[in-house]
Amino acid sequence: MSAAPEAKASAPASSAPTAPAAARRVVSGRIVRVGGVSVRLQGRTTAVTALLLAALVVLIGITLTTGDFKLSVGEVFQALTGNGSGAADFVVNTLRMPRILTAVFVGAALAVSGAILQSLTRNSLGSPDIIGFTNGSAAGALVVIIVMHGSMTQTALGALAGGLATALAVHLLMIGRGIQGFRLVVIGIGVSALLLAVNSYLITRATFQEALEAQAWLIGSLGNRQWTHANAIGLALAVLLPPAFLLSRRLAVVEMGDTAAGALGVDVARTRTVLLVISVALAAFATAVTGPIWFIALAAPQVVRRLTRSCGPVLLPSALMGAFLLLLSDLVVQRAFAPALLPVGTATGAIGGLYLIWLLITESRKSRA
């Protein structure tokens, strides 16, 4: 009987829920079986997911119909089904749809990557752009652009290699210490600062034309994206998202802590390693396609958690939120600043910077309380 008051007294000292409370959250909801797969649905999470999906569909429709060449919904539908006029078909299927799908896929990839890292680290600052994976991808791309004078395809491969190499470096720095949340964030921030200095040095050693090309890539843009870009990131999502979704319940259990997760039969080390590889790969592929897009991975999962009031990871709503935020940001920079062609990275950087300030202030107040 005396253990209950002690548990209540110690609860405020940790921001993570206790194991029994977290376990009740994990097992709550209604189970729906589809074939041999069972899915647990929670009412508020399901409603938020449906609303985000509807909002994304509406936003895609707005993006397809508005612009310098305005189209009706009927004309867009005819173009998508192959029955539109030549001009409508060119605008929809060559100019707008590849850019839209690239934005949706990249936003989803970044958001899921951030959601996984924030769960693994149990830290709201755990995202690929804070920990340094994005800067690692940027470093790989700059080496290809400035040192190797490579093509766009080679630049994308360099960005992918740079992100994976950065993850490997962070992992090697943590060997023997365990993948603990605070330690991973601190080491990642240090690696990110080092890579930022390397990137700045590479630009200073470049020619004027190479520096312009590198700086344009570093801002992050969806301009001139074609079906090859959309197909590449779409294929990456098709490969990486299913295992991430399948491991999401284990990820929720890992959030309880190593002891509780191990007692529930979860192989904590293997689960963390697999999910970390998935998170890094998602961020690296996204950066390879568009360049660094900042703060989507940081903000989208946190916004979704507040909307769903979930204590665990919510990967599908996070993916939809990331897709919505990136596509909305791209639409704003296209329409609000026309005829100027601003890269979407300027919008996400400005909005994300304000969000980061708010998040740091909020976390500081929580720690004082």
Side-chain angles (χ1 to χ4, degrees), residues 10 51 63 67 100 114 116 125 147 160 163-164 167 182 188 203 218 278 281 304 320 324 327 351 363-364:
S10 62
L51 289 174
T63 307
I100 289 172
I116 292 174
L125 292 177
V147 179
L160 179 61
L164 295 176
F182 179 75
I203 292 179
L218 284 174
I278 292 174
V304 166
L320 294 173
F324 178 82
L327 185 58
I351 298 172
E363 293 297 323
S364 176

Side-chain angles (χ1 to χ4, degrees), residues 135-231:
N135 275 337
S137 297
L142 289 182
V143 169
V144 174
I145 293 173
I146 297 173
V147 179
M148 302 173 61
H149 311 288
S151 63
M152 289 299 297
T153 301
Q154 292 171 331
T155 300
L157 293 175
L160 179 61
L164 295 176
T166 302
L168 178 61
V170 172
H171 177 72
L172 292 176
L173 290 172
M174 298 186 67
I175 285 181
R177 302 177 178 87
I179 305 180
Q180 301 299 324
F182 179 75
R183 186 180 295 116
L184 177 60
V185 171
V186 171
I187 291 177
I189 290 175
V191 171
S192 179
L194 177 62
L195 289 170
L196 184 61
V198 171
N199 294 345
S200 299
Y201 171 77
L202 288 173
I203 292 179
T204 62
R205 305 301 298 175
T207 64
F208 179 73
Q209 185 61 37
E210 290 171 343
L212 286 179
E213 183 182 352
Q215 192 59 44
W217 190 90
L218 284 174
I219 295 176
S221 175
L222 289 164
N224 298 322
R225 291 306 179 264
Q226 302 172 358
W227 283 108
T228 53
H229 301 93
N231 292 336

Side-chain angles (χ1 to χ4, degrees), residues 89-163:
D89 179 74
F90 176 76
V91 170
V92 171
N93 294 314
T94 303
L95 297 181
R96 293 179 182 172
M97 186 55 75
R99 181 171 183 150
I100 289 172
L101 290 180
T102 302
V104 169
F105 293 156
V106 168
L110 291 174
V112 173
S113 175
I116 292 174
L117 278 178
Q118 288 172 10
S119 294
L120 290 177
T121 61
R122 281 176 281 179
N123 192 314
S124 54
L125 292 177
S127 70
D129 38 10
I130 299 295
I131 292 180
F133 301 152
T134 301
N135 275 337
S137 297
L142 289 182
V143 169
V144 174
I145 293 173
I146 297 173
V147 179
M148 302 173 61
H149 311 288
S151 63
M152 289 299 297
T153 301
Q154 292 171 331
T155 300
L157 293 175
L160 179 61

